[in-house]
Amino acid sequence: MIDELIDTVRSLNALMREETDILKAVGTRGEIEALAAAKLRLTASLETQMVALGRIDGAWRETLEPEPRAALADALEEMQTVSAENARVLMRQIEISRDMMDAIALEAKRLSGTRQQTYGASGG
């Protein structure tokens, strides 16, 4: 079961790395939805596996053999690095989207402002 857990962490790392690369690239991002859905599935699977291991043996981390312990530690350390970069790129994309939406709203206000009419004292 620990091998499955390590494989899931490695798969999640690879997926986040791919998502980060796509977000950094210029152009269309049609694959992002599928990647985000896969990331959610892998995260849920990882959580399920961790809970199952905890139910079987609450001290499973402490009782791991040295080799799987090292492999899991490496995979989790890589996850920290990969997820931090992924989060940074995602936050930047969100900021860019917000800036674009603000610019569109400002332009819409500017355009609608030029079409407003008011009546003056002379009837114009």
Side-chain angles (χ1 to χ4, degrees):
M1 187 163 199
I2 191 66
D3 291 334
E4 184 181 340
L5 178 71
I6 293 168
D7 286 344
T8 302
V9 173
R10 287 179 178 157
S11 295
L12 187 56
N13 291 344
L15 193 66
M16 283 191 290
R17 200 174 292 111
E18 183 179 353
E19 181 183 42
T20 301
D21 290 344
I22 289 171
L23 287 170
K24 285 180 177 179
V26 177
T28 60
R29 297 185 174 96
E31 305 159 0
I32 289 294
E33 273 187 60
L35 286 173
K39 190 165 70 168
L40 284 173
R41 283 191 304 274
L42 279 173
T43 304
S45 175
L46 182 61
E47 185 176 355
T48 301
Q49 292 169 28
M50 300 276 286
V51 168
L53 281 168
R55 269 193 236 127
I56 293 169
D57 179 8
W60 66 271
R61 290 178 193 94
E62 292 80 22
T63 59
L64 278 177
E65 295 295 321
E67 190 174 309
R69 178 192 302 264
L72 180 60
D74 289 345
L76 291 173
E77 185 176 319
E78 180 184 3
M79 180 184 274
Q80 284 184 316
T81 304
V82 171
S83 63
E85 175 68 5
N86 185 256
R88 187 188 65 75
V89 171
L90 283 169
M91 288 304 296
R92 181 64 186 134
Q93 289 297 318
I94 290 168
E95 288 171 8
I96 290 170
S97 296
R98 254 192 223 131
D99 290 347
M100 286 176 29
M101 289 172 32
D102 289 346
I104 290 169
L106 187 61
E107 182 64 8
K109 283 181 184 177
R110 186 187 71 78
L111 289 174
S112 67
T114 59
R115 295 186 182 145
Q116 290 179 350
Q117 295 181 357
T118 57
Y119 290 102
S122 62

